[in-house]
Every structure is written in C-alpha cells, then in structure tokens.
Amino acid sequence: FFFGLLCAMGSEGYAILDLPAGNVPSNDRKVWVTAVGFTVMGVATLMLRDPTPTALAVQAPGTSIRPGSTASVYGVPNRAAWQVQGSRLGPGARTTARTQPDPEGDTSLDWQPQLALQAGPWANLHKYVLMAGVTVAAILSYIYRRNGMSLAVAHKPDYVAMASSTALKAAKKGDAGGAAWDLEAFSPCKINIFLRLITKREDGYTNLASLFQAISLGDTLKFKLLPEDAEADEFQCNMPGIPLDDTNLVLKVVNYMRRKTGIERKLRISLEKVVPAEAGLGGGSGNAATTFWAVNKLFAQLGAEEYSQVELLNFAGELGSDISFFFSDGTAMCAGRGEIVIPVPRMPPTKVFVFKPAVGLSTPAVFKAVVWNDTGVIGDINDPFTGDPDTLLINFAYATPDVSYAAPEDFINDLEAPAFSLVPELKALKDELLACGFRAAVMSGSGTSLIAFGEPEGPKSGAQIVEEFNARPDMKAFAAEFIWQQYDDDMNALWYAK
C-alpha cells in the first residue's frame, strides 16, 4: 500500500505490485516485512524521481515470463513481455542474469532480481537506499517464489521496468527453485458436429442427440497440494470475470471429490483460460472434467481410492450436462440432456476453425426461443433421409478424407434458428464463412461460436482467415483440430494433450 501510494505521488512515476490474494495468510509476519521493504523502495524512488529517472524490476527467481502474455510497461502498454530490455545503467548500477530467447523457439525469459539506476545529483547517496530495498524485495520474492511475486517501478518514459503476476509461468526446475506444481493438465473444449433436439422433458430440460468432438483449443490447469495446516484453497485465473469462489465449477468439483474421498487437503489451483465464455464450446465443463481427473490422481496419492474414468463420468453427470463427455475417448454421441455418453468410433482427423463474436447468449435464452411443432418434436428428426441422428453419425464417420467433406446439409444444429433470431449477426457470420470457401460451418452448442470445417477452397488459407478475423475488435478466431485421449502401453487413459 505504502509503496504504491508513494510511487503514485510522482507525476511521471509508474508502479505496479502484484501479490496474488490468498497466497499469503494475512497473519503471516513476513507480510509486514514485505511491506517495510517495499516502503523503503517507494521512499527511495520518490526521492529519486527528479531529476534522476529510475527503473526497477524484481521477480521471483526460478520463474519465467510466459510468451504471449501482456505486461504493463510505462509508456508502452501491452508490449510482449520478452521485448522489454530494461533501462540504461548509470554509475553504481547493476543488473543480473538476463537470458535471451531460446534460438529453438522458446521465447520465455528467466529474470533474476535486477536494478537499473540512472546517475544523478542524489544517486551517490540514495542508490544505496534503493539497493537495500531491492535486496529486501529480492529475498522476499525468493521466499514467496511458489506464489509468484512481481514488482516494478519506472520513472520517465525512457526508463522502463515491467512485472505482472499474470505474466509469471511457474516452472519446475528441480533444485534450481521455482514454483513446482504437482500436476499440470490440458483442458480441451468441445464442438458439436451436429445437434438435434428430440423432445421436451417434464423437468424443463430437453432431450437431445449430438455428436461431440474434443478439439485442441483449450485451457491449462495446474494443481498443488498445500501444507496440511492450510485452511483454504487458493484459486487464481487469468481471465477477468471468471468467479473465484465456490460457484466456479473447478472448486465445485474439488469439494465434491472431498465428500467422496474424505480427503480434506487444500489445493492451490491455477486456471489459464484461452477458451472464450458463452461460446457453446464447453470450456467450463472441460475445466470441471479435468479437475475431476486431476484431483482423483492427487487424492489417490494421499491414500484415497482412485476412481476409474467410468466412475468419474457418472460423478460428472451430477454437476453438469456436458462434463461427462470429456471422459469419453474424445468422440461421442451425447443424449438425454447431454449427460448420457455413448462411445462411437473416432471421426477422421479434421482441421477446424473457431470464430467467436463478442456478443454472447445464455443457454436458457436460446432454448426458450426454440419453436416446437404440435408433437413436441422439432423439425425432421425422425426422417432417416434428412435428420435422423444415427444416419448423420454414419455419414460423418465415412466422410473422406475428413469430416469437412460430409454433405453440407448434415451439419445441423437445431439451436441455430433460435440463436440467429436473437442475434441476426450470427447468421451473417455463417454466410461470410461459407463465402470464404469453407465447405461447412455450423454453430457449436447454444452459441455463439461458429465452427468452420477443413481448409477453405478459396484463395486464402484457414490461417490467413483466422488472422484477418482476429484483427477485428469484436471477434476472436482460433485454428484447431480434432484430438482424443492419450493412452499408455496398457491402454490406461492418460487424459488429453494439446
């Protein structure tokens, strides 16, 4: 608090301090030591702000800046983290252990505590005060390296320093230190190749028949068992707006598994989101399924029974409609309200392109807009020549060389019409994708993402089209492909991998 307040007083100063909430107990006396160290640093930078520009960065040893993350840089917002090269050095200044990007493509940087101080009239005296503050902060950042601590100060646009806890990537480096996680898992999302509504149900849900497919677009979940005396879980997520309390499916799953196993051990969980929300991609359901799988493994290490994936599938149906799917091989027919998972053979490997406009739709709103016929059955669901789910499944299974070569009319989603009626822009987006040369496009789930299948038959590649759509301020686009679970030599499922 004092550090931020003091640095904010400098008219040209900039400061950011990230110490993720919940990672350090409020009654820990080291918190006060941290505050004192940062206050010393704040006083020094305030005294040095004019006429001596300063730049300072402190980061936990053993951590690295994640490629592609957004860092806060004075005068240069949103610059990629690895492009920041620190300030000019004056007499008495020093900097340590800055590595360059890996020539083989790893663009992460390993940062050690560093100091850059431009010489000035007060530098000979106050640089030692500043160095003392840096030393305290560096020691404390090492103490808290498991949590990820970051700190930055900058004065004047020409002297930049950066740090952001959202840019920290915990890296297990053996005895070299760093925030080692007990388990890290890829959390895929799903698409609906087709979705047919069958009948209304008395409980308010709808019986459906849909071909689900896991794709390589996904999130990353990391888990660590906390010490036995920890009193609460620690949950963090990089995406604003994601709830961090017990309403989040990830924590619901953790608490569910505690009731099942009797294990009360608390966890530190990091969720790195990529899959957009309100997209019909089941990103939250994938997170829940991945948490089931991971917590099952971790609690088994503590003596609990390790459940099979079939048992986890049954557990998942109690918490959400789409969660169960992810315990299939990666391709499945889902029925009921989505919790009934019927294994089917893998579809031909296929590239897909996901287009998500900024507008979102709630699933209840889309279902409410469905127009049913007099018998409570929508459309031509019983016609074996046009919309029967079994016929559609066969058509896609035998499409060659990939799913995109199935008949365009087989890509049916009965929720498209109600969604398009609520957001006409979605229909325009689908028409635009088809005009780009994609052989087929269909809305996934209840929207609002559109899925294009296969490489387009036009002058531009799928990657070029994705790049152009991503340039629009109201659109996100991704290239992906079908994926399936991995297995060991004994055919034990090893979960998904990107």
Side-chain angles (χ1 to χ4, degrees):
F1 169 78
F2 287 111
F3 171 74
L5 179 63
L6 288 168
C7 290
M9 292 170 61
S11 60
E12 294 183 275
Y14 171 83
I16 178 171
L17 166 64
D18 288 330
L19 185 60
N23 284 355
V24 183
S26 59
N27 61 352
D28 192 327
R29 64 183 181 181
K30 286 179 289 189
V31 172
W32 301 106
V33 180
T34 305
V36 171
F38 289 151
T39 301
V40 170
M41 204 177 317
V43 171
T45 54
L46 178 65
M47 296 171 67
L48 292 168
R49 73 185 190 280
D50 186 27
T52 306
T54 64
L56 168 70
V58 175
Q59 207 148 43
T63 62
S64 62
I65 299 169
R66 177 165 53 86
S69 61
T70 298
S72 299
V73 183
Y74 184 82
V76 194
N78 298 330
R79 173 176 287 188
W82 64 85
Q83 294 176 326
V84 180
Q85 294 299 325
S87 300
R88 290 177 292 175
L89 301 178
R94 63 186 175 87
T95 181
T96 61
R98 183 189 297 116
T99 63
Q100 297 301 317
D102 188 286
E104 296 182 1
D106 180 7
T107 52
S108 63
L109 288 178
D110 293 333
W111 285 59
Q112 297 292 335
Q114 61 180 284
L115 166 65
L117 180 63
Q118 179 71 13
W122 293 348
N124 290 333
L125 173 62
H126 297 295
K127 69 183 179 184
Y128 298 108
V129 180
L130 185 57
M131 287 181 181
V134 173
T135 301
V136 172
I139 293 172
L140 290 167
S141 69
Y142 179 78
I143 293 173
Y144 294 128
R145 67 188 182 279
R146 293 177 306 168
N147 304 324
M149 171 184 289
S150 56
L151 167 70
V153 186
H155 287 278
K156 309 288 186 180
D158 290 339
Y159 303 91
V160 298
M162 59 73 55
S164 173
S165 63
T166 59
L168 292 178
K169 178 182 179 182
K172 186 174 182 180
K173 298 188 177 181
D175 295 333
W181 297 89
D182 294 321
L183 194 153
E184 179 175 337
F186 178 64
S187 177
C189 69
K190 60 82 183 172
I191 60 172
N192 301 82
I193 300 177
F194 70 80
L195 190 157
R196 307 287 351 235
L197 303 182
I198 310 300
T199 57
K200 291 182 179 180
R201 293 166 39 145
E202 293 183 357
D203 61 5
Y205 288 99
T206 301
N207 285 318
L208 56 83
S210 181
L211 179 56
F212 280 44
Q213 175 62 54
I215 64 172
S216 59
L217 173 63
D219 306 322
T220 300
L221 273 159
K222 301 175 184 178
F223 301 84
K224 184 173 181 62
L225 292 165
L226 290 174
E228 293 183 4
D229 59 353
E231 299 180 354
D233 293 313
E234 300 172 4
F235 182 45
Q236 60 189 36
C237 179
N238 64 321
M239 183 176 289
I242 299 296
L244 300 179
D245 57 17
D246 288 345
T247 62
N248 190 288
L249 272 174
V250 168
L251 294 181
K252 284 185 177 181
V253 170
V254 172
N255 291 325
Y256 181 97
M257 291 297 287
R258 288 195 177 111
R259 293 192 296 271
K260 281 289 183 182
T261 63
I263 301 292
E264 293 296 329
R265 190 78 166 265
K266 304 304 180 183
L267 297 169
R268 176 179 298 125
I269 305 172
S270 171
L271 171 58
E272 296 177 7
K273 289 290 293 181
V274 175
V275 179
E278 292 189 329
L281 299 172
S285 297
N287 297 159
T290 304
T291 303
F292 264 121
W293 178 83
V295 174
N296 185 46
K297 295 289 185 183
L298 291 175
F299 283 2
Q301 296 175 13
L302 302 178
E305 175 187 356
E306 183 170 351
Y307 295 101
S308 68
Q309 289 215 28
V310 173
E311 291 172 306
L312 295 177
L313 183 153
N314 292 327
F315 297 162
E318 300 180 29
L319 295 184
S321 299
D322 294 343
I323 304 174
S324 301
F325 158 72
F326 293 95
F327 293 103
S328 71
D329 179 47
T331 304
M333 280 282 288
C334 294
R337 55 183 172 83
E339 82 285 5
I340 301 173
V341 179
I342 306 168
V344 298
R346 294 183 175 186
M347 295 291 109
T350 305
K351 289 183 179 181
V352 292
F353 300 91
V354 181
F355 299 87
K356 172 63 175 73
V359 63
L361 279 173
S362 71
T363 299
V366 176
F367 274 92
K368 187 176 180 180
V370 172
V371 177
W372 296 84
N373 62 24
D374 294 338
T375 63
V377 179
I378 189 170
D380 51 6
I381 193 71
N382 295 316
D383 187 336
F385 297 103
T386 57
D388 171 58
D390 291 333
T391 302
L392 293 175
L393 176 61
I394 294 172
N395 292 346
F396 284 113
Y398 285 95
T400 55
D402 61 42
V403 165
S404 70
Y405 285 86
E409 59 269 19
D410 288 343
F411 293 86
I412 304 172
N413 182 345
D414 288 331
L415 294 178
E416 272 193 359
F420 290 178
S421 69
L422 296 172
V423 183
E425 298 95 310
L426 294 178
K427 176 63 165 62
L429 174 58
K430 181 176 181 178
D431 292 341
E432 184 178 3
L433 294 176
L434 295 175
C436 287
F438 290 109
R439 286 180 290 276
V442 68
M443 188 178 77
S444 184
S446 58
T448 54
S449 64
L450 273 292
I451 313 300
F453 292 81
E455 282 289 344
E457 296 176 330
K460 297 178 182 178
S461 68
Q464 289 174 316
I465 295 173
V466 164
E467 183 178 1
E468 290 181 1
F469 273 79
N470 272 327
R472 302 180 184 183
D474 58 348
M475 183 71 63
K476 291 182 179 179
F478 310 87
E481 61 185 349
F482 290 2
I483 62 169
W484 295 272
Q485 287 216 41
Q486 296 186 325
Y487 298 85
D488 62 19
D489 293 339
D490 296 323
M491 292 306 295
N492 297 309
L494 299 176
W495 205 240
Y496 300 87
K498 189 173 182 180

